[in-house]
Amino acid sequence: MAASLNADDLQAVAGGGLLHRRLLLKSGLAMATALAAPTVAQSAGPDAPPVLPENPSSPSWLHQPGKPFSSYGSPSRFENRVIRSIGANRDLPGNGVSWTPLESLEGIITPSSLHFERHHNGVPDIDPAQHRLAIHGDVSAPQMFTIDNLLRYPMRTQTLVIECGGNSNAGWHYEPIQRSVGAFHGLVSCSEWTGVPLAILLDQVGVDPKASWVIAEGGDAAIMNVSIPLAKLMDDAIVALYQNGERIRPENGYPLRLIVPGWEGVVNVKWLRRLHITTEPAMARNETSKYTELLPTGKARMFTFVMDAKSLITSPSPGQKMHGANIYEIKGLAWSGRGRIAKVEVSADGGRSWAEALLQDPILPRCFTRFRAAWNWDGKPAILKSRATDETGYVQPERDVLVAERGRNGYFHYNAIVAWGIDEDGAVRHVYA
Amino acid sequence: MSMRNTTMRYGTLAGLALAVFATSLSAAEPLPGIQPRSQAPTLGTPMSADDITAWNLTIFPDGRGLPPGHGTPDQGGTLFAAHCERCHGVEGRGATADELVGPPTPPTDADPNKSIGSYWPYATTIFDFIRRNKPPETSGSLSNDEIYSLTAYLLAANKIIGTQDVIDAKSLAQVKMPNRDGFVRIDAP
């Protein structure tokens, strides 16, 4: 198949056989070649036994009626392994996380059912008729809003990444963790959020010009609270009622979630019930004991809200297998809490040389951007990396640079370049390189 | 955005808005996809002083928001064994949940300890967190005196206060944690 491409197309633009991204833009031929190459997730290699239905030209579902309508759909039973992996406390099963299976998903939207979770004391079963949003503190007219009333306000929709400040924390370990990309980096998900711009409600309660902080509180059995600078909330926060077109799922904050674009997950308070307008932070547990990063100097970074640019190769990735020398499509995700992704580069030689990946539309601020690159793998050991640059010029750092700057005891905000080692058999492993 | 587009877009919404909220349209050019704030309905209901008291759980580092009550490390030790040990371990170490009592090593230590005594900047946070969330299976079940006692126990076990000290709203706000000045604000004033 590769032979049908012209010689220029297959000219590597970086070490290890990375091809020019224009190859992916060519109509028909080039795209088909990239897609027809054995995809790492399937066992389509020459040694793999063919997995064909007994009679693909006339399967049984052509000859009997299918199931009737369903009032609420669900995935195919053949996709039942595409699930969140869960890490919870043994004595308190509602405390822990679940990771998005990034390696199994395409495009940029995370299905709501696969959105990552971080709960402190379980998922509350909130009756929206009994839920209120209270806004009080340094305001002239403290008010409570019902969900029914909020549904009557003008709304805004934004497609946004939410990333936990603790995502990817295994990256600080001395040895590279061997897990799927989702179970390592999957405390990040991307949804379309719709709700009332918070500035509208803040205007209506009459915020005192002296005020500078807002303490946001959730309605779970941890009554989780965090302090957020008022200016950011005035600027672009949403009190969201909808996720991916439907009302927010309970585990994502039903009936109301504070959405703070680009900022770490913990401030995107789920089950939002109270906003206390003040002049100083509360110094709550989740902004002191946690979500702070201890540096080698002994000082700790605090209120590190912005999630810096990051990228990951989701295919090929650990747990998947390459099947022999061929042209592969490398694909991955990039995002930045500071705005749009400007560029993603991919390396197949451990970072010695880089080729620019194709960024797939849409490229939205603070949203997943899907990138793709064509790779003519020669079947020899290789090290794949991706490196994101955002529109502010911020470049995702190499791991040794991040570790030198932050030490190993910070735990939160790990966004270093991720390296996958490919061996001669096509197995993919997480490596530090 | 052209005037015509604006008119069309808001023309459609205007019908809805008028029918539902009797809201008037302003002529101001909106941000793309955002209606002018002046166009929004005003549907909040006022909160009375009593409402605010009932809702407000915030405790500030200077002690504002702390309720009346008091407790001692001894009383707290008994409560800790009954309500907390199962997950946090005997004397706050060694079980499935976070270590609550650690060695008093400074954060500059090569293997630093990030538990209450060596890391937390404010003692008020202990009271606040226990009141919100503890014990997790029956949160909200402890009295203020019990929460003060547990706070006193954790402070004493971390050698921040003496074993005979009484903790109440005033004394808790006065506790100076060793790592008070250990933090630098990154994305906040």
Side-chain angles (χ1 to χ4, degrees):
Chain A
M1 271 220 225
S4 58
L5 295 168
N6 71 47
D8 269 3
D9 282 332
L10 294 183
Q11 196 72 52
V13 295
L18 286 168
L19 305 178
H20 198 283
R21 67 189 192 284
R22 87 171 108 74
L23 192 63
L24 294 171
L25 282 174
K26 287 201 159 186
S27 60
L29 183 66
M31 225 18 231
T33 304
L35 287 174
T39 62
V40 283
Q42 290 162 3
S43 51
D47 309 332
V51 266
L52 294 175
E54 270 169 38
N55 187 2
S57 70
S58 185
S60 60
W61 47 89
L62 297 191
H63 309 295
Q64 64 201 39
K67 283 189 185 150
F69 298 91
S70 54
S71 45
Y72 200 92
S74 51
S76 160
R77 64 193 172 96
F78 298 103
E79 298 300 320
N80 64 3
R81 279 173 307 175
V82 181
I83 51 174
R84 297 187 276 226
S85 39
I86 298 169
N89 182 288
R90 195 164 9 107
D91 291 321
L92 189 59
N95 187 291
V97 297
S98 73
W99 286 270
T100 294
L102 297 171
E103 64 283 356
S104 303
L105 304 178
E106 249 294 357
I108 58 170
I109 299 293
T110 311
S112 301
S113 306
L114 296 175
H115 194 287
F116 86 87
E117 301 165 276
R118 167 76 178 107
H119 308 311
H120 299 273
N121 203 3
V123 178
D125 182 23
I126 297 178
D127 172 359
Q130 291 185 51
H131 191 78
R132 298 285 182 279
L133 172 62
I135 310 183
H136 70 96
D138 294 332
V139 302
S140 55
Q143 286 173 55
M144 273 193 289
F145 297 86
T146 64
I147 295 299
D148 275 353
N149 286 345
L150 290 173
L151 285 165
R152 293 165 65 189
Y153 274 76
M155 294 193 189
R156 182 168 81 217
T157 295
Q158 259 181 285
T159 307
L160 295 164
V161 155
I162 297 181
E163 180 176 18
C164 176
N167 192 25
S168 312
N169 64 68
W172 302 111
H173 295 180
Y174 283 95
E175 294 302 323
I177 193 170
Q178 299 306 330
R179 281 208 197 170
S180 68
V181 60
F184 175 10
H185 296 287
L187 298 184
V188 61
S189 306
C190 185
S191 287
E192 188 202 75
W193 298 97
T194 300
V196 183
L198 181 54
I200 293 178
L201 304 180
L202 293 177
D203 270 6
Q204 293 189 353
V205 297
V207 173
D208 187 321
K210 290 196 315 284
S212 51
W213 286 85
V214 178
I215 299 156
E217 186 177 275
D220 60 346
I223 322 183
M224 212 277 311
N225 65 334
V226 288
S227 311
I228 309 170
L230 172 66
K232 170 69 175 176
L233 297 186
M234 275 292 197
D235 184 31
D236 64 355
I238 301 172
V239 287
L241 294 141
Y242 295 88
Q243 178 188 11
N244 296 328
E246 64 181 352
R247 296 290 292 280
I248 298 174
R249 295 289 173 90
E251 71 265 36
N252 287 314
Y254 182 86
L256 197 65
R257 181 170 196 171
L258 182 62
I259 298 292
V260 187
W263 284 23
E264 59 182 1
V266 67
V267 302
N268 292 255
V269 175
K270 292 181 289 193
W271 316 298
L272 183 69
R273 72 190 292 265
R274 190 167 73 93
L275 293 168
H276 187 168
I277 317 297
T278 76
T279 52
E280 59 176 307
M283 296 299 179
R285 183 260 187 172
N286 281 315
E287 58 206 24
T288 53
S289 165
K290 308 292 172 186
Y291 304 97
T292 53
E293 303 113 56
L294 181 55
L295 298 169
T297 58
K299 296 282 182 197
R301 291 155 51 94
M302 166 178 253
F303 301 127
T304 39
F305 294 122
V306 181
M307 297 309 292
D308 281 321
K310 187 153 155 182
S311 67
L312 301 163
I313 293 174
T314 54
S315 175
S317 65
Q320 302 175 344
K321 204 163 162 26
M322 316 266 292
H323 293 280
N326 209 328
I327 296 174
Y328 287 84
E329 183 185 46
I330 293 174
K331 46 187 164 184
L333 292 167
W335 65 95
S336 165
R338 297 185 193 279
R340 288 184 174 78
I341 287 296
K343 182 167 77 173
V344 176
E345 296 155 294
V346 173
S347 173
D349 57 11
R352 280 196 297 282
S353 63
W354 298 87
E356 221 176 306
L358 181 77
L359 302 186
Q360 181 179 290
D361 280 340
I363 303 166
L364 300 169
R366 304 177 176 90
C367 178
F368 274 166
T369 296
R370 178 61 66 176
F371 68 86
R372 302 180 192 282
W375 180 33
N376 195 359
W377 183 46
D378 59 9
K380 300 211 178 81
I383 292 174
L384 293 178
K385 287 185 175 182
S386 66
R387 176 169 74 187
T389 303
D390 71 18
E391 64 180 339
T392 69
Y394 177 93
V395 183
Q396 186 183 6
E398 284 284 1
R399 181 173 184 280
D400 53 356
V401 174
L402 188 72
V403 170
E405 185 191 306
R406 302 268 177 86
R408 289 177 181 282
N409 300 309
Y411 187 86
F412 297 94
H413 287 264
Y414 183 92
N415 73 320
I417 289 172
V418 179
W420 304 143
I422 316 281
D423 69 17
E424 280 150 338
D425 297 331
V428 188
R429 288 178 65 76
H430 177 211
V431 295
Y432 290 155
Chain B
M1 192 189 291
S2 76
M3 260 336 271
R4 189 166 157 272
N5 278 341
T6 310
T7 315
M8 278 172 58
R9 171 145 15 135
Y10 290 99
T12 321
L13 285 169
L16 184 67
L18 284 168
V20 182
F21 324 122
T23 303
S24 65
L25 288 180
S26 87
E29 183 82 272
L31 287 167
I34 308 174
Q35 300 209 7
R37 292 180 196 175
S38 57
Q39 217 177 285
T42 51
L43 300 171
T45 49
M47 281 180 93
S48 66
D50 283 351
D51 289 336
I52 293 172
T53 308
W55 278 77
N56 187 4
L57 273 185
T58 310
I59 293 169
F60 288 98
D62 63 4
R64 268 179 303 141
L66 281 169
H70 58 85
T72 64
D74 267 359
Q75 293 160 333
T78 311
L79 291 162
F80 192 87
H83 298 294
C84 322
E85 224 172 74
R86 178 161 66 84
C87 300
H88 288 287
V90 177
E91 289 174 3
R93 308 178 213 211
T96 61
D98 302 37
E99 196 172 69
L100 300 181
V101 180
T105 50
T108 40
D109 209 72
D111 185 17
N113 186 277
K114 287 203 251 179
S115 58
I116 293 173
S118 53
Y119 196 64
W120 290 34
Y122 295 98
T124 46
T125 311
I126 307 169
F127 184 99
D128 178 57
F129 190 71
I130 296 175
R131 181 164 75 165
R132 287 173 186 278
N133 181 17
K134 296 297 175 182
E137 281 128 341
T138 50
S139 53
S141 61
L142 297 170
S143 69
N144 289 335
D145 282 352
E146 289 173 320
I147 302 171
Y148 277 117
S149 302
L150 284 161
T151 306
Y153 168 77
L154 289 174
L155 286 169
N158 280 289
K159 310 226 171 347
I160 307 293
I161 62 167
T163 52
Q164 304 303 313
D165 291 355
V166 177
I167 284 294
D168 57 17
K170 191 152 171 268
S171 59
L172 183 59
Q174 280 165 356
V175 170
K176 181 151 191 223
M177 300 297 277
N179 198 36
R180 164 77 57 91
D181 301 319
F183 295 84
V184 222
R185 297 181 184 199
I186 303 297
D187 298 315

